[in-house]
Amino acid sequence: MFTRPRAALVLLLALVFVAYLAAGEEESTVSPASTEPASTEPADFPRGEARDFGPPPAVSEGPLSAEVVDAIDILFDEPQDGLLLLDESGAVRSLGSSGDARLGWVLSDLLRITRDPGNAAFLASSASELLGPEFSAFSAWGEVTDHLIAWDTPAPPDYIDIKRNVLTSIVPDWEPFFDPDSDIDWRYISWGGVRIDDRPFDTTDDPCSCIPAADNPEVTSAEEATWLDDDAVVFGVEIDGESRAYPRRIMEVREMVNDTLGGRDFGMPYCTLCGSAQVWFTDDLPDGLERPVLRTSGLLMRSNKVMFDLNTFSIFDAFLGSAQTGPLAELGIQLNQHSVVTSTWADWREAHPKTTVLIEDLALGRDPDLRNTRDADGPVFPIGDVDPRLAVQEDVLGVLTADGSPLAFHVASAQTALERGETIDVDGISVIADGGGVRAVDATGADVGGHQAFWFAWSQFYPETTLWPNVS
């Protein structure tokens, strides 16, 4: 079903791409031991607000009607003056008047790729007819998708085929991702506005029309890094006595590094949208498997970057480290995580004087600050409802306990408690100070691979997470 030619999308998407490409060593410092536990009183930090999406529409069950199947085939088949629709065929009207809320996902996908104001207005009107709320043509894709996610609206039958038709018309190289046996919920996959980075390993000095990863990045000593201001934010990593700083300025440009430190190979994605830098070891796979080379796909999952292995085209969930499609998913590959400390260059350098740091040239002449500009007002891409216990972009240190239960520590509260000499211990996990930031360890002091992220990101991937301090 839905596999007929996609000529209707080709001209439009060529124009879309033009628009988008024009735009787009030492031991850790631990807090002093104290018998005084950290206060569990609610801290004075920003709280969030749940969103009101209203009652969900009725959801149909079973196969799609023959009329709807024909309408979807028309949308992905017949050219309409290169504009995709303006619905001379009546296909969009058929979806909007179908009464089948599952088709809201099809309208959402079309809204994501159209850039014609007339098409957007018509699709928004059809979505309103189908789902109930009035959607603005200027923000319809985000609004429609937020409602569908919040309502947990089921996808229509054979939705993977619909999604394939839409996304591979943008980037044909995404075709291998569409594994029918994958664990991916395709409702949550969207285009991030950029192309795939599929350059061979260790060729990341070559230009690309993508978010350019950095393989084996060149580094210098701390003394040589005179270009880096003391208050610059860095992501610090210490493995087996070796330390390295990854300036946020560089990671906002690169978003992915494949590196080796302390004798360990790892991939380090940075999701600017989630405020999350992570380290995933890529050298502890079963015998016979080649080291994964992690790259940015150009796709998103609930406003979180989707990474993939260049060797097998297996998608990995960047937040969870698990293979979701392809050969590595069939083998059930789960990458192991190591802590990343978010700090300033001065604090990290003081705690780790032998640290190395990435060279300035890796920033490619750019100095973005997306956290305080583009991302300052909350999630850029749709995520549905939010957990109101914290404001969406409060920083939390997220970790899994020994039994796999998710646990989040409000970073500012933890830092305040540690500065007072208090201890923070929850379910066998302790938070300690390290180089101006915080990280999580177990009862033996061993690293447990926690990472810092915006609250909205951690809480949507782990909706049952415990939050410290405990607030309701």
Side-chain angles (χ1 to χ4, degrees), residues 236-300:
V237 180
E238 190 274 334
I239 301 174
D240 293 338
E242 259 192 274
S243 299
R244 184 160 295 160
Y246 298 81
R248 189 172 71 188
R249 170 185 169 187
I250 292 173
M251 295 304 294
E252 287 197 340
V253 173
R254 297 290 188 164
E255 292 196 18
M256 181 70 71
V257 170
N258 291 281
D259 206 356
T260 301
L261 185 68
R264 300 296 306 272
D265 297 330
F266 60 88
M268 184 180 183
Y270 175 55
C271 178
T272 62
L273 297 164
C274 296
S276 175
Q278 297 167 268
V279 160
W280 296 105
F281 286 123
T282 53
D283 59 0
D284 53 359
L285 275 67
D287 291 343
L289 286 182
E290 188 176 5
R291 169 191 176 183
V293 176
L294 300 181
R295 288 282 189 268
T296 296
S297 68
L299 298 172
L300 298 173

Side-chain angles (χ1 to χ4, degrees), residues 10-22:
V10 174
L11 178 57
L12 169 70
L13 293 168
L15 296 174
V16 169
F17 268 128
V18 171
Y20 263 99
L21 293 177

Side-chain angles (χ1 to χ4, degrees), residues 28-89:
S28 299
T29 303
V30 181
S31 60
S34 171
T35 57
E36 182 70 21
S39 171
T40 57
E41 296 180 1
D44 184 19
F45 48 64
R47 306 295 179 88
E49 284 187 24
R51 302 172 178 179
D52 182 11
F53 293 95
V59 174
S60 302
E61 297 181 357
L64 300 176
S65 69
E67 179 184 10
V68 165
V69 171
D70 287 343
I72 293 174
D73 280 341
I74 288 171
L75 290 173
F76 298 122
D77 184 15
E78 295 182 2
Q80 312 236 349
D81 297 328
L83 296 179
L84 184 65
L85 10 120
L86 289 181
D87 211 37
E88 290 89 345
S89 67

Side-chain angles (χ1 to χ4, degrees), residues 8 182 349:
S182 74
R349 186 181 66 231

Side-chain angles (χ1 to χ4, degrees), residues 390-413:
L390 284 177
V392 289
Q393 277 169 290
E394 283 295 289
D395 289 303
V396 297
L397 175 64
V399 67
L400 299 181
T401 64
D403 65 2
S405 299
L407 175 60
F409 297 89
H410 181 241
V411 169
S413 296

Side-chain angles (χ1 to χ4, degrees), residues 1 12 25 39-40 83 116 129 134 153 268 307 322:
M1 187 183 292
L12 169 70
E25 54 230 311
S39 171
T40 57
L83 296 179
D116 178 83
E129 179 183 5
E134 289 296 319
T153 306
M268 184 180 183
M307 64 184 184
S322 54

